[in-house]
Amino acid sequence: SAVQSPTAAPERRAAWSAFVRRAHVRVTAWLTVLHSEGSLRPGSPERHARLLLAVIDGLAMSVLMPGNRPSTDQLRETIDDAFSAVIITA
């Protein structure tokens, strides 16, 4: 069963929730470093982390769904667009 479905085993739900929290903490920490270096666009690292993780989550779902899956190039372009919205590049 799905990790977050009502019938999912509690240990699966807990493990997934812990994974999601760790991912947010790690991405936020990375963005905090970029912020201190002046490489982050306006907005808090936490807000940017939510945006990046939402994009990654959405792309992961699109890859798992049958039908019109994005190509590797499309995935890369979307990730590049998300990073460009968050990170200042030279």
Side-chain angles (χ1 to χ4, degrees):
S1 65
V3 174
Q4 294 299 330
S5 76
T7 59
E11 58 274 4
R12 278 186 173 188
R13 294 170 117 187
W16 183 252
S17 293
F19 171 78
V20 168
R21 282 190 305 276
R22 279 192 314 271
H24 189 268
V25 167
R26 291 186 66 134
V27 171
T28 300
W30 172 62
L31 293 173
T32 299
V33 170
L34 292 176
H35 177 71
S36 71
E37 295 173 352
S39 297
L40 199 63
R41 297 202 182 274
S44 71
E46 294 84 6
R47 181 178 182 180
H48 290 308
R50 285 192 306 271
L51 171 65
L52 291 177
L53 290 169
V55 169
I56 297 299
D57 288 347
L59 291 174
M61 290 301 296
S62 70
V63 169
L64 294 173
M65 294 295 153
N68 192 18
R69 292 183 177 146
S71 69
T72 301
D73 287 340
Q74 290 171 323
L75 293 170
R76 187 171 291 118
E77 287 173 349
T78 303
I79 291 169
D80 286 348
D81 290 345
F83 283 149
S84 293
V86 171
I87 298 167
I88 299 169
T89 57

